[in-house]
Amino acid sequence: MIVPLLASLLVAQGRPPLDSATVARVLNQLRTSDSTVCALAGEALTNYGGFWGHSFGQPGLAMPQPMPTPMPMPGGGGGGGVHFAMHGRSRDVDPAVLRAFRAVIRDDNRCIRNIAARVLGNHHDSGTYDLFLALLRDARADLRETGALGLGELEDSRAISPLSDAMSRDDSPAVRMTAAWALGEIEEKVAIEPLSRALNDRAPEVRRTAAWALGEIDDARGVRPLSTALDDQTVEVRLTAVWALGEIEDASAVPVLAAAAKDHDPRVRQQAAWALGEIESAQGISTLETLLRDPVADVRKTAIWALGEIEDGGAVPALATALKDSDPDVRALSAWALGEIEDGSAVEPLLVALKDSDEDVRATAAWALGEIESPRALDGLTAAQRDEVGSVRRAATWALRQIDDNDDNHNVHVHVRPRVKVKP
């Protein structure tokens, strides 16, 4: 019975919002479903009327990963960044529907409670804060978790003090973790101190969530406590702490990330490279140059991406060396980074790259030379117009017109897409 119901919810985005009777019926059926089905139905249900927009599985903690996917092209630049879902307030909901969700806020089924907490948190009335606060102080740990979840969805700064108390004193790791998440959702700087203390929590999931929350708050005062988390024995905590330092984007984190770049886990080293690219400080170049010699190709690629983001000519010699890497994706991305930097000293190594065995490397090198716009590249690019691959010929033609500043340049369209997709 739940399968047709789930299917109808998943295709119902264009229909009118649910009524209270349907909500009650759906929630009642979900009580007997397994957790996966309930989670899927919950996501469909909470999106049905424009209720809520981010992933349902966890309390809301998204673990963003660096995914630099540069797609350089004329008139544009490299892409890349951290991608995670956002949510926001939506249209008004029938009060009877909200009452239907409120009726199950103390349900024994965790999935049901979480659905209700999310909906009520995003469509609150005057009594919603007090409802969640009472749950946070309940004798039952599972209800306290729901209370913390609701307060995070509510994003009410009045909740900072009770959430901080729960994060530091509650016996349940699930409650402490959800309280840390909620503080990250509220994003108030006053929460930096309690979240910093939570980095020493005995439960790794609490420490990890506290690090994530500090990244969400995005304040330079979070750099020092996050630096201590880089020694955490749990790799997920270290990964999240490095991500948070990249989110804060403060140059004071560069020396800290230099230490993270020596981590024994390649995922942490890659995350450190990404964070240095987000900060965009020339102070990070020496660390990134070291990572260009990392044995793991994904680490090298992310370091190259970061150097392209920093756009400092001091990185040209190291990137020129990376143009000889055994991995063609590394070579193509190195050419892209040199094009982003636009330093004339990169012309000669890029001319050599125009003869690379990989067509993407050749096309990207041509594009990069067009970005630099040096007359020294004219002969090499003219020869590249006779390349056997069309994308290389088009990139060379575009680059020559960039250098000549041809008025008809806007009629030439070149897409240079190095085969790079970094996922630590």
Side-chain angles (χ1 to χ4, degrees):
M1 191 173 192
I2 193 68
V3 175
L5 171 64
L6 176 57
S8 67
L9 288 173
L10 289 173
V11 300
Q13 299 303 314
R15 298 181 184 176
L18 295 168
D19 57 50
S20 58
T22 303
V23 168
R25 180 170 59 87
V26 170
L27 293 175
N28 187 57
Q29 292 184 24
L30 289 177
R31 285 191 181 91
T32 59
S33 66
D34 64 46
S35 58
T36 301
V37 172
C38 185
L40 289 171
E43 185 166 359
L45 179 63
T46 50
N47 277 313
Y48 188 106
F51 287 149
W52 163 66
H54 58 80
S55 177
F56 180 75
Q58 289 293 323
L61 170 60
M63 179 52 200
Q65 297 290 353
M67 293 180 64
T69 52
M71 297 181 183
M73 62 191 70
V82 175
H83 306 283
F84 53 95
M86 302 293 290
H87 71 284
R89 309 296 175 189
S90 57
R91 64 189 181 190
D92 292 337
V93 177
D94 184 349
V97 171
L98 295 181
R99 287 195 295 273
F101 283 111
R102 185 184 285 263
V104 297
I105 197 66
R106 290 178 171 271
D107 198 274
D108 288 337
N109 186 300
R110 180 176 182 269
C111 179
I112 298 294
R113 293 197 310 273
N114 284 357
I115 293 172
R118 290 187 182 283
V119 173
L120 293 171
N122 280 278
H123 298 271
H124 59 89
D125 54 31
S126 58
T128 305
Y129 174 80
D130 292 333
L131 171 66
F132 289 143
L133 185 62
L135 287 171
L136 183 66
R137 294 169 174 170
D138 198 275
R140 286 174 48 184
D142 56 349
L143 293 182
R144 297 199 299 276
E145 179 190 8
T146 299
L149 174 61
L151 289 171
E153 292 289 345
L154 203 58
E155 298 180 12
D156 190 322
S157 60
R158 291 178 296 172
I160 292 176
S161 179
L163 285 168
S164 299
D165 289 343
M167 184 175 61
S168 62
R169 300 175 185 175
D170 202 283
D171 292 335
S172 167
V175 175
R176 300 198 303 275
M177 180 185 74
T178 310
W181 168 81
L183 290 169
E185 287 290 286
I186 296 172
E187 296 185 21
E188 292 282 350
K189 293 176 175 56
V190 69
I192 292 175
E193 183 177 346
L195 286 167
S196 299
R197 292 195 300 269
L199 292 173
N200 297 312
D201 193 278
R202 60 187 178 275
E205 62 268 29
V206 178
R207 302 196 299 272
R208 177 179 179 270
T209 309
W212 172 85
L214 287 169
E216 289 293 288
I217 293 173
D218 189 11
D219 188 275
R221 285 172 290 181
V223 171
R224 182 182 293 274
L226 285 167
S227 67
T228 66
L230 298 183
D231 295 322
D232 198 282
Q233 62 182 354
T234 302
V235 65
E236 287 78 11
V237 176
R238 302 199 302 276
L239 278 168
T240 309
V242 173
W243 170 82
L245 291 169
E247 284 293 288
I248 293 173
E249 297 183 12
D250 191 87
S252 65
V254 171
V256 177
L257 291 167
K262 300 175 183 177
D263 195 278
H264 64 84
D265 192 301
R267 293 173 295 170
V268 178
R269 301 197 299 272
Q270 184 184 9
Q271 195 93 315
W274 170 83
L276 289 167
E278 289 291 290
I279 295 172
E280 298 184 10
S281 170
Q283 299 174 44
I285 291 177
S286 61
T287 296
L288 291 167
E289 288 176 341
T290 300
L291 290 176
L292 292 185
R293 300 188 293 273
D294 197 277
V296 178
D298 281 347
V299 176
R300 301 198 300 275
K301 286 187 281 189
T302 307
I304 292 166
W305 170 83
L307 290 170
E309 292 293 291
I310 294 173
E311 298 184 8
D312 189 281
V316 169
L319 288 169
T321 300
L323 282 174
K324 304 173 185 177
D325 194 277
S326 60
D327 188 316
D329 288 344
V330 172
R331 300 198 301 274
L333 189 52
S334 298
W336 168 82
L338 290 169
E340 290 290 286
I341 294 172
E342 299 183 17
D343 190 288
S345 62
V347 170
E348 282 68 28
L350 285 169
L351 286 171
V352 174
L354 281 179
K355 301 176 182 179
D356 194 276
S357 60
D358 185 271
E359 62 187 69
D360 283 349
V361 176
R362 300 197 301 274
T364 309
W367 169 84
L369 288 167
E371 290 291 289
I372 295 171
E373 299 184 10
S374 170
R376 303 199 312 276
L378 289 172
D379 290 344
L381 288 167
T382 300
Q385 286 184 303
R386 298 187 294 273
D387 194 278
E388 61 184 11
V389 178
S391 62
V392 179
R393 297 195 299 270
R394 288 190 294 273
T397 298
W398 172 83
L400 285 168
R401 296 187 180 187
Q402 284 287 102
I403 295 170
D404 289 341
D405 196 25
N406 193 305
D407 289 338
D408 295 329
N409 183 55
H410 63 278
N411 294 320
V412 180
H413 302 282
V414 180
H415 293 259
V416 181
R417 299 177 184 267
R419 296 189 303 269
V420 177
K421 189 171 184 180
V422 181
K423 288 185 179 180

